[in-house]
Amino acid sequence: EHLFKTDVRSRICLKTLELLGILHQTLGDYVQAEAELIEGLTLSRRIFGNASCEAAVARNNLGGLYNQQGRFSESLSLLCRALYPMISMHGEDSPGARSVYHNLAALLYARRDYRAAEESARKAWRISVRLLGEDHPQTRIEETIYASILNDLRRHLDFDS
């Protein structure tokens, strides 16, 4: 019973740090967002292990923040390290993998790597279709992002030829 209570408390604490980090990010307070998300990553690694899904979620969130700040190398490193645990523990068709692919698509698009962004956006969209259905709002978001990247990729390829 004691271990169960510790686990529940740890998960509540991690979720609180995640939500606070995302809130501060949304409000544009990147310094506080980074502090909350780093604390969440540190806590998840200490309690659940470096290769845990909890640490992968924290890396994904921090990677998304770093992308938004233009810290592309740090973002890419975190997102790549987040993807493998998500897929190995929950499979490619999981909400966690979809979220990482979503963030990877945004990062690669920002870096103007349109081909790689297209692949990640396609994966995020297909996972959403399989998990949520074609009419779900999240699936529509992924579809719009994917279509936008495809459009830019076509423009870029037309410009090069």
Side-chain angles (χ1 to χ4, degrees):
E1 184 180 326
H2 175 69
L3 288 176
F4 176 75
K5 285 182 181 178
T6 301
D7 187 56
V8 169
R9 286 185 182 128
S10 299
R11 290 183 188 284
I12 290 170
C13 186
L14 283 175
K15 192 61 171 179
T16 301
L17 289 168
E18 174 187 349
L19 293 173
L20 283 171
I22 292 168
L23 172 66
H24 287 290
Q25 180 178 355
T26 302
L27 295 173
D29 185 356
Y30 298 132
V31 172
Q32 190 60 41
E34 182 178 19
E36 304 287 359
L37 294 175
I38 287 174
E39 186 177 347
L41 176 57
T42 302
L43 183 63
S44 66
R45 288 171 59 192
R46 188 176 76 237
I47 295 172
F48 298 103
N50 197 37
S52 65
C53 277
E54 292 81 3
V57 168
R59 283 186 183 96
N60 185 41
N61 291 329
L62 189 56
L65 172 67
Y66 286 167
N67 178 47
Q68 194 171 5
Q69 293 177 301
R71 296 165 64 179
F72 300 138
S73 295
E74 293 166 282
S75 177
L76 183 60
S77 174
L78 286 163
L79 294 174
C80 288
R81 289 171 47 212
L83 187 58
Y84 179 74
M86 292 288 191
I87 292 173
S88 67
M89 290 183 208
H90 298 290
E92 181 127 54
D93 280 354
S94 68
R98 187 220 45 88
S99 180
V100 177
Y101 282 127
H102 173 93
N103 283 343
L104 274 171
L107 167 67
L108 295 165
Y109 182 82
R111 293 179 68 173
R112 298 176 193 238
D113 186 350
Y114 300 121
R115 288 181 196 269
E118 181 274 331
E119 181 182 348
S120 292
R122 179 173 21 88
K123 288 180 179 181
W125 172 62
R126 286 184 175 167
I127 293 168
S128 287
V129 168
R130 285 191 291 268
L131 292 179
L132 305 171
E134 290 183 11
D135 294 327
H136 191 278
Q138 185 62 47
T139 303
R140 295 290 187 200
I141 290 168
E142 300 298 350
E143 181 179 35
T144 302
I145 292 168
Y146 180 49
S148 178
I149 290 172
L150 276 178
N151 188 41
D152 286 350
L153 179 60
R154 283 189 200 108
R155 256 198 317 250
H156 179 72
L157 291 175
D158 288 345
F159 181 77
D160 286 345
S161 34

